Amino acid sequence: MEGTALSLDQSPRISSIETAILDVPFVRLQQFARFESRVQSTVLIRIRTDGEHEGVGEVVTPCGPWWSGDSVEAVKSIIDLYFARELIGADPLKSCDLLCKLDKVARGNAFAKAGIEMALLDLAGKIYQMPVYDLLGGKVRDALPVAWPIASGNLEQDKAEMHKMVQQSLARSFKVKMGMMPIVDDLSRVEQLCDEAARLGASIRVDPNEAWTEVDARRALPVLAELGVEMVEQPLARWNLKAMARLNSSSAVALMLDESICTTQEMFEAAALGSGSMVSLKLMKSGGLRRSQAVAHIAEAAGISLYMGTFLETSVGTAASLHFAATLQSLPLGGETIGPLLMADDIVTCPITYRDGCAHLPDGVGLGVTVDEEKVTEFKRR
Ligand code: MN
């Protein structure tokens, strides 16, 4: 193995795991159907070996436990109190085995496991001197087209934001969060945003985050299709796969599953029922990059298109999403990994770059990002 970094004299061992909650401000209020926030909280995870290496991962939720029940406080606790002792002393290159061990320690907790896997893959990349996408089999793309979230709660601000994002070539697609207001008002709001998008040569997709009943959706979908909306994400409650299948069989606009799909089993069931024509992949909800790959493969086998979702990560988690997305064969509508753009600051020295409507894969080994210690101190929750 001369000339490579693969001949390790002895297996590395994990010597410490450190977690910290950081609160990073957004550039503006971010509204969801049932929640809003001005900061994004992240659990920064740092796994060190007895050598000189450190792997970094992060766990975010979409600004609180409303989405899955996971919270940054609970994630930090389960790692500190239960996961750390399973990992200390173990070989960090055996991350498949380590993840299985964590499954025995704690059911669920996909978010916490995703953060651990992210840090282990970053660490493995640094030890092998390879980018994470090469650990996953190599990249098929260098950049991902991204949609910007329209979720300020103020129509004029939303329009101004669309204008600015198009002018600066940061995004050409917009994802409008719906479900905060009565459906009639929401549809007329989307109509105005679609008019604005048409003027800008941009496209609109929408996400009511499970806020609708099937009755609401039957009323809204033809209107949204007529407006030229390119995709409707998770209109119904996550458990309601049969009603999603009824809608999907007659909808002129593509339906995307998000909350409904975390595990491979959920993907398999939704594929069998025909509950959507797209699925949003998110590292946190499925428990990491490789478990997300498994979900992606089931979707691909069923002819369901892939989309790279986000929970609004900093550049650490966004880098992981981009490494993962770089390995996927087809992403017809790209994704929305815009966390770093929505935050007023970041926690790495060289944040993810955005241009030509795309997020660009960082260079370098591991995740290709370096933690900025000053920012960590500044944003650390006390
Ligand atoms: Mn969503």
Side-chain angles (χ1 to χ4, degrees):
M1 299 299 284
E2 199 184 341
T4 77
L6 298 181
S7 50
L8 304 171
D9 292 339
Q10 61 194 63
S11 317
R13 295 287 154 196
I14 295 172
S15 58
S16 73
I17 297 167
E18 194 186 307
T19 60
I21 295 177
L22 314 179
D23 298 304
V24 186
F26 284 134
V27 291
R28 55 129 167 96
L29 184 73
Q30 173 74 8
Q31 277 201 338
F32 302 91
R34 297 179 294 288
F35 194 75
E36 61 181 40
S37 184
R38 288 195 179 278
V39 297
Q40 175 61 307
S41 302
T42 177
V43 185
L44 182 66
I45 303 166
R46 313 178 79 159
I47 301 183
R48 298 193 183 92
T49 62
D50 40 16
E52 75 273 33
H53 296 290
E54 178 188 84
V56 177
E58 80 168 341
V59 178
V60 302
T61 70
C63 309
W66 63 273
W67 197 93
S68 66
D70 295 86
S71 66
V72 288
E73 296 81 6
V75 164
K76 184 179 184 332
S77 295
I78 195 127
I79 294 172
D80 293 349
L81 302 176
Y82 295 95
F83 288 175
R85 64 177 179 230
E86 295 297 317
L87 300 170
I88 302 277
D91 181 347
L93 300 175
K94 306 273 187 282
S95 58
C96 285
D97 182 46
L98 292 177
L99 266 280
C100 290
K101 284 204 169 89
L102 298 187
D103 284 340
K104 288 180 187 134
V105 172
R107 186 175 185 275
N109 282 278
F111 283 58
K113 289 169 187 170
I116 295 288
E117 190 217 31
M118 196 187 299
L120 289 173
L121 290 177
D122 183 42
L123 185 53
K126 285 167 177 166
I127 292 170
Y128 287 132
Q129 291 290 295
M130 289 167 91
V132 166
Y133 59 73
D134 276 339
L135 296 176
L136 299 174
K139 63 181 175 179
V140 298
R141 62 174 59 74
D142 292 303
L144 178 73
V146 286
W148 180 256
I150 295 298
S152 77
N154 177 308
L155 187 64
E156 290 315 308
Q157 189 183 334
D158 287 344
K159 287 185 187 172
E161 236 175 69
M162 287 167 65
H163 202 265
K164 190 177 129 200
M165 297 310 286
V166 170
Q167 207 168 36
Q168 297 182 353
S169 287
L170 292 173
R172 295 181 202 107
S173 302
F174 297 93
K175 195 172 96 173
V176 181
K177 286 291 188 183
M178 295 185 75
M180 290 91 77
M181 59 184 80
I183 200 156
V184 179
D185 303 334
D186 225 3
L187 287 171
S188 88
R189 169 175 160 261
V190 170
E191 185 176 356
Q192 294 179 67
L193 292 167
C194 283
D195 288 347
E196 189 69 16
R199 272 192 286 278
L200 295 167
S203 63
I204 294 279
R205 43 195 85 161
V206 304
D207 184 2
N209 282 108
E210 311 178 271
W212 295 344
T213 62
E214 188 176 355
V215 176
D216 293 331
R218 282 185 188 282
R219 176 171 188 179
L221 291 178
V223 178
L224 294 169
E226 188 65 27
L227 290 173
V229 166
E230 58 189 346
M231 171 269 281
V232 177
E233 184 170 338
Q234 197 71 46
L236 308 184
R238 65 188 70 198
W239 55 267
N240 208 352
L241 289 176
K242 286 187 179 157
M244 281 286 288
R246 287 193 288 272
L247 293 176
N248 194 42
S249 67
S250 62
S251 176
V253 55
L255 296 189
M256 183 159 79
L257 298 157
D258 179 10
E259 283 90 333
S260 289
I261 310 298
C262 295
T263 65
T264 48
Q265 292 82 2
E266 287 164 349
M267 187 68 250
F268 189 83
E269 189 186 357
L273 289 169
S275 302
S277 50
M278 299 189 71
V279 60
S280 178
L281 302 165
K282 296 176 178 173
L283 305 184
M284 303 292 152
K285 70 177 184 178
S286 297
L289 285 78
R290 280 167 304 186
R291 289 174 181 186
S292 297
Q293 280 188 319
V295 172
H297 293 153
I298 295 168
E300 283 171 330
I304 294 169
S305 295
L306 309 178
Y307 183 82
M308 191 64 236
T310 183
F311 284 129
L312 304 174
E313 298 82 3
T314 72
S315 282
V316 175
T318 302
S321 294
L322 293 175
H323 280 267
F324 166 71
T327 69
L328 301 173
Q329 288 298 320
S330 174
L331 288 159
L333 291 185
E336 52 186 43
T337 50
I338 49 69
L341 283 181
L342 192 59
M343 280 173 223
D345 210 332
D346 212 316
I347 60 171
V348 301
T349 53
C350 290
I352 299 298
T353 55
Y354 294 84
R355 60 177 187 278
D356 306 325
C358 290
H360 291 260
L361 192 60
D363 291 324
V365 299
L367 293 173
V369 293
T370 306
V371 168
D372 184 330
E373 303 300 340
E374 280 180 25
K375 297 297 179 187
V376 170
T377 307
E378 181 180 347
F379 297 125
K380 192 168 175 176
R381 189 181 292 179
R382 276 162 245 280

